[in-house]
Amino acid sequence: MEPKSVCVFCGSRMGARPEYLEGARALGREIARRGLTLVYGGTSVGLMGALADAALAQGGKVIGVLPHVLSDREIAHKGLTELHLVDSMHTRKAMMAQLSGAFIAMPGGVGTFEELFEITTWAQLGIHHKPIGLLNVADFYGPLLAMMRRAVDEGFIPETRAQPFACEASPVALMDQLQRGLQPLTPDKPVLRPDQT
């Protein structure tokens, strides 16, 4: 089944390269152009704000999910289709996952990495069966993919998990992969409910 909404994890800063901003805007436009809903962290700053602004300018629907504790620091976006203010980071991630049919990680910091790896872990455990992609702008994720390969070589990740996500430098190519019904991860273990983890 094709996703109707896409959750994007990305930085609350712009980053050092203009390509990151260009990539965020291009991805926002592409999600809206395809008639999909963008789900993201709800702020108006950094790549997150640029992503949302681009989708909105293209006529897209954008849903933000932001913890109360960050609403001042990260500055809640005032122009979204929907903005959910929630009580914690855990609630934020759970709601974003519930609202989304696919996930994309753009360049970002520790928070972006944590969101990417948590949603990938949930897929490995069978908690969800939704596709995951990396928008690999300026080969930002090259070192991460090498680290995944290292973990496989050292016996910590099965060979079948060496690259558990689609990876493209172009928003169009990445969205094509996700919408083609990229095969989600098959869990190695019995399917678990979130309350069993």
Side-chain angles (χ1 to χ4, degrees):
M1 181 183 298
E2 288 191 2
K4 294 182 173 59
S5 56
V6 179
C7 179
V8 178
F9 308 126
C10 61
S12 59
R13 297 184 180 197
M14 288 295 186
R17 296 172 181 259
E19 295 97 317
Y20 300 146
L21 175 58
E22 293 164 12
R25 288 173 172 164
L27 180 59
R29 288 192 297 266
E30 188 61 22
I31 289 170
R33 188 186 70 78
R34 293 174 186 243
L36 303 173
T37 297
L38 168 64
V39 178
Y40 86 115
T43 78
S44 61
V45 297
L47 295 185
M48 296 169 72
L51 171 81
D53 288 343
L56 290 165
Q58 192 74 23
K61 180 178 179 181
V62 181
I63 300 175
V65 184
L66 183 66
H68 287 285
V69 71
L70 294 181
S71 61
D72 292 330
R73 184 189 314 171
E74 292 194 354
I75 311 173
H77 198 301
K78 304 299 185 188
L80 303 180
T81 312
E82 297 175 25
L83 176 63
H84 299 272
L85 292 175
V86 297
D87 61 356
S88 70
M89 293 293 285
H90 294 296
T91 305
R92 177 197 219 179
K93 291 184 291 184
M95 178 175 283
M96 290 168 74
Q98 182 180 13
L99 291 169
S100 303
F103 305 92
I104 293 173
M106 280 200 61
V110 172
T112 300
F113 302 154
E114 188 269 340
E115 290 167 328
L116 169 64
F117 275 105
E118 182 167 59
I119 211 68
T120 303
T121 300
W122 288 4
Q124 289 186 350
L125 295 174
I127 293 170
H128 76 83
H129 301 282
K130 302 170 184 178
I132 303 166
L134 301 179
L135 186 59
N136 196 22
V137 178
D139 197 35
F140 181 83
Y141 281 110
L144 182 145
L145 297 173
M147 190 67 231
M148 295 286 288
R149 183 70 251 171
R150 173 73 185 275
V152 171
D153 293 343
E154 296 297 328
F156 292 105
I157 297 177
E159 182 66 42
T160 55
R161 303 287 191 245
Q163 189 168 322
F165 14 66
C167 183
E168 297 285 350
S170 156
V172 173
L174 183 59
M175 290 303 303
D176 284 346
Q177 277 207 56
L178 296 181
Q179 287 199 286
R180 272 200 303 268
L182 174 76
Q183 288 300 310
L185 293 175
T186 302
D188 288 330
K189 300 176 182 179
V191 173
L192 302 174
R193 300 189 308 272
D195 62 350
Q196 293 177 306
T197 60

